[in-house]
Amino acid sequence: MKQTSEHFKAHVTAALADPTLKIALNRTTTLLRERRAQVIADFGEYAAAREAAQKIKDHTLDNLAHYLAMFEANAVASGAQVHWARTPKEATDIVTAICKAEGARSATRVKSMLGEEIGIGEALAAAGVERIETDLAEHIIQLAGDPPSHIVMPAMHKTHEQVAELFREKHAQPSNSDEIAALVESARRELRPKFLNADIGISGANFLIADTGSIVTVTNEGNAELTTTPPKTHIVTVGIEKIVPSMAHATVFLRLLSRAAIGAEITQYTTFYNGPKRAGDADGPETMHIVLVDNHRTEMLGQFLRPMLRCIRCGACMNHCPVYAAVGGHAYGAVYPGPMGSVLTPAMSDLKSTKDLPNACTLNGRCNEVCPVNIPLPDMLRSLRARQHQAGLTSGMTRGGLAVWGWLARRPGLYRRATGLAMFAMRVWSMNRGRIRRFPMAGNWTRHRDLPQPELGTFMQQYNRRSRK
Amino acid sequence: MSTARDAIFQAISTANGAPRDADTIAAEAMALIATPDVLRPGFTGQDNLDRFIEKATSERVTATVSHAATLAEVPGQVADYLTRVGLGAQIALQPRAALRDLDWGSVSVHHTVDANEPVAVSIADLAVAETGSVVFLSGPDAPVLLTFLPLHHVVVVGQGQIRRHLEDVFEFVGAGQASQPRNLNIVTGTSGTADIEAKNIRGAHGPRFMHIICVADL
Ligand code: SF4
């Protein structure tokens, strides 16, 4: 997808004016938050598991070269072919070259965020390979021509009424009913023959297991196995940060991922894949390719964004973000929305075109609190703001205002007098009506709400008065 | 291609410094999960079978369970199930000797699996008490698609195959030491989706119904 984060403000205005979007976001984020809270409350060991998960990821990142080399050797030993790509372009070139070599006409795909990140859809289209999205939500947005709006539930922005309309238009045998169960049944009917007739099956991986060379997928629908088993070739595209030392280490994350993402103890289908089918196997692909993708990850490894590489793409941070809940995923104009996206998008593109993202945050800290690997998202967003400032990306007004404030703040006596004076002036301005409807230079604030009338004196004045008593 | 590989390893070493020795790394990794019990749900006082059944039949996992003393009782129970859910006396059967050798009576058996297969019957290699999951290892007599294409999946689980935690399953397959089958499928109930308005719906692409026959002596 084409990144349009520079138009964030315009997107927000449009999103806030869309009443259907509000309904869709409300229905989903509320349910997801409730389910997560319940299942975490039932998991007494959660805090210890979360701490261990963080430590395992940090340990793996500290020894990344060691584990990647180990993974490669083991994957090759079980018959997979391993490829390396620095950029999205290198990755999609590898994928399309495989498709060409196989003479592939169609590919089924199970959703992976890395696939979105490298633009696999566009690349397959350019190579003339028909792409069949098999995850229900991806199927919906493929039919609608929409980009994903959430990393776990890409069709979160759609109500069931909208999906019903879409299916009636696009499905061969749509159902008459608008009920969600009937819609799911209609998609099942539509996709079933396509699973069995595709030339290539494309997946991502939730984990790479270093000591076995396995890749792991986690789904609720069972579409990963239906995508990766019938075709003669299975291609995996995956980020290098997905690696963990062993199956036992992966278990710690399996318990956290489904709880954080959908509020379940485990997802319905967790599958470990080792190379292509074995001699005599009843089914499975004849070749398996694993494309390991960097795309700015090694860059992040060397700087303040390193903790972001712990991310397991659960989506909890966005489900709990008040900004996301109000504007939805599309407003961010990037593959990754919400709090984690506001960190990743600048890291994977540039500070300038993504300038609004780190600022669209109230710093309430919920995202960090619910993150199963304890990523300090608010701190990183703050650091990104500081970097924008250093790079001269903030407005003249902000820079001037901050300079004046900084000058004053370093002179406490003067600062106290100035704030005391300002407060006095505001009290006079409010004329004791309890609130201020309009105030010079604060038009943007007062357009939507009133300022309260200030208390009697600044904090320091009140503090001094009390200490004297 | 190898240039991309070199460049990635070069970038990692710039960020991380010189690699440490493999034994130190392995010891550190093991220490992180040395006490698994503090990291996973405990269910002391509940045995594996009870926990497995509680979880497998929970609202979230949605399987039904019946009990059999030996494998010989399985065909009868399958026939009962087919009648109960109103299906014809036909099944796709996992081509495993233990199942093939049973007397299936009036139930007609085939070993291929059709795109719209109504019902399949298979033996799980293992089960997990912690989560109510059943586990399949792919192989010549264990097609993967048998677990995913049918609408109803009847799974035979030997009581002795139920492991306490997920880690015990990985230990069984030998983890890092052994050569692995192509697929290790951990299946917890039926195929579901919450992709439309986060409402949980069953039978997305895989089975909509799962029935587990717990065999005391497999
Ligand atoms: S940042 Fe944390 S909460 Fe957000 S998707 Fe990643 S792991 Fe989940």
Side-chain angles (χ1 to χ4, degrees), chain A residues 133-137 139-140 143 163 167 171-175 180-195 221, chain B residues 193 196 203-205:
Chain A
E133 294 292 346
T134 63
D135 174 75
L136 177 61
H139 173 65
I140 293 169
L143 292 183
V163 175
F167 283 4
H171 277 178
Q173 300 165 261
S175 113
I180 299 180
L183 299 173
V184 171
E185 180 65 28
S186 178
R188 180 185 175 108
R189 238 186 342 258
E190 181 81 10
L191 287 167
R192 193 132 287 248
K194 303 193 171 170
F195 278 122
E221 298 179 11
Chain B
T193 182
I196 302 176
H205 293 301

Side-chain angles (χ1 to χ4, degrees), chain A residues 27 72 185 188 192 255, chain B residues 5 130 197 205-206 208:
Chain A
R27 286 179 183 167
E72 183 183 36
E185 180 65 28
R188 180 185 175 108
R192 193 132 287 248
R255 292 194 181 100
Chain B
R5 185 189 191 279
E130 176 188 337
E197 294 182 2
H205 293 301
R208 187 170 298 151

